[in-house]
C-alpha cells in the first residue's frame, strides 16, 4: 500500500480555485467548488456578476453568504495535525502545559484532542477506560499514511453538521 506524506498532500480538492493555494477558511459555493474566504471577498468586489471563479457557473445568491465548508476545513486540520506529528517539532503534553510544565508528548487522544506525556497518558487511560477513547502513540501515528490517519482521527471526534446540530457529518 502506497503511503503519502501530509507534506506533499495538497490535492486540487484542497486548493483554492482562485489563488491555487491550500484552502484557508474555505467557503462552499452552490456549484460545490470551494474558495478561500479572503478570495471570496475579493471576488465580491468584482462588478462583472455573480459567477463561480472556477467554473463560471452562475451564483444566484449573494456570494458573501456562502457557507463554510466545514468538511474541507476539518479534513485539512487533520492533515495539518499529521504533518505536525511527522515533523515532530514542539509537541508537548497539553495537560502538563495547562499547569505550566513542558513535557514532550508521546501520544494523542483523538477524542479529547490532547497530546499527552507518559504519565498523563496512563492517568487518562485509567479515567477514560470505559469510554474507549482512541489513544495512539506518536510513533504509531508517524507510520500511518494520510488515509489511515484521517480514518483514526474521524473515529475519535465526529464533526457536527452546522445546520443540523443533531447529525454528524459523514
Amino acid at each position: 500500500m502506497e503511503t503519502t506524506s501530509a507534506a506533499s498532500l495538497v490535492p486540487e480538492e484542497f486548493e483554492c480555485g482562485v489563488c491555487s493555494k491550500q484552502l484557508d477558511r474555505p467557503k462552499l459555493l452552490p456549484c460545490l467548488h470551494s474558495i478561500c474566504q479572503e478570495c471570496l471577498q475579493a471576488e465580491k468586489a468584482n462588478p462583472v456578476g455573480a459567477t463561480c471563479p472556477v467554473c463560471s457557473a452562475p451564483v444566484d445568491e449573494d456570494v458573501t453568504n456562502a457557507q463554510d465548508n466545514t468538511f474541507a476545513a476539518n479534513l485539512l486540520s487533520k492533515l495539518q495535525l499529521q504533518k505536525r506529528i511527522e515533523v515532530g517539532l514542539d509537541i508537548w503534553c497539553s495537560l502538563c502545559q495547562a499547569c505550566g510544565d513542558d513535557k514532550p508528548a508521546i501520544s494523542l487522544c483523538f477524542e479529547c484532542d490532547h497530546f499527552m506525556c507518559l504519565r498523563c497518558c496512563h492517568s487518562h487511560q485509567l479515567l477514560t477506560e470505559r469510554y474507549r477513547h482512541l489513544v495512539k502513540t506518536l510513533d504509531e501515528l508517524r507510520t500511518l499514511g494520510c488515509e489511515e490517519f484521517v480514518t483514526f482521527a474521524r473515529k475519535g471526534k465526529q464533526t457536527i453538521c452546522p445546520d443540523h446540530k443533531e447529525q454528524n457529518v459523514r
Side-chain angles (χ1 to χ4, degrees):
M1 182 165 122
E2 185 177 305
T3 59
T4 308
S5 79
S8 67
L9 182 76
V10 183
E12 62 185 49
E13 292 87 2
F14 298 111
E15 286 182 3
C16 173
V18 176
C19 66
S20 299
K21 295 179 184 171
Q22 181 174 302
L23 286 166
D24 179 36
R25 293 174 292 162
K27 294 290 189 174
L28 187 64
L29 298 177
C31 58
L32 302 181
H33 284 114
S34 292
I35 63 173
C36 299
Q37 181 175 330
E38 192 173 303
C39 293
L40 181 64
Q41 290 169 340
E43 287 294 313
K44 175 184 88 168
N46 183 357
V48 175
T51 61
C52 170
V54 178
C55 68
S56 301
V59 178
D60 296 332
E61 60 199 50
D62 182 7
V63 292
T64 58
N65 294 329
Q67 67 181 5
D68 293 337
N69 188 340
T70 53
F71 179 77
N74 191 332
L75 193 55
L76 279 168
S77 74
K78 288 176 183 9
L79 294 173
Q80 289 165 346
L81 176 63
Q82 184 189 27
K83 182 177 180 180
R84 187 173 160 208
I85 291 169
E86 278 183 358
V87 173
L89 299 175
D90 297 328
I91 301 178
W92 305 105
C93 177
S94 309
L95 304 174
C96 287
Q97 279 189 317
C99 298
D101 197 2
D102 286 335
K103 291 190 178 172
I106 59 126
S107 61
L108 170 66
C109 175
F110 284 103
E111 186 69 30
C112 299
D113 283 333
H114 287 302
F115 287 105
M116 295 175 286
C117 66
L118 184 60
R119 187 187 75 209
C120 290
C121 185
H122 287 305
S123 299
H124 179 271
Q125 297 285 63
L126 291 171
L127 292 170
T128 61
E129 185 176 9
R130 71 173 150 175
Y131 301 110
R132 299 185 186 267
H133 283 201
L134 181 61
V135 177
K136 294 285 183 187
T137 68
L138 298 184
D139 287 338
E140 288 175 307
L141 295 175
R142 284 185 189 103
T143 66
L144 300 177
C146 288
E147 268 187 55
E148 293 170 303
F149 183 87
V150 169
T151 300
F152 275 117
R154 291 188 74 202
K155 283 181 186 174
K157 206 176 262 183
Q158 290 294 318
T159 303
I160 305 297
C161 176
D163 296 329
H164 308 97
K165 301 291 184 204
E166 68 284 351
Q167 295 180 9
N168 291 332
V169 175
R170 299 177 201 260

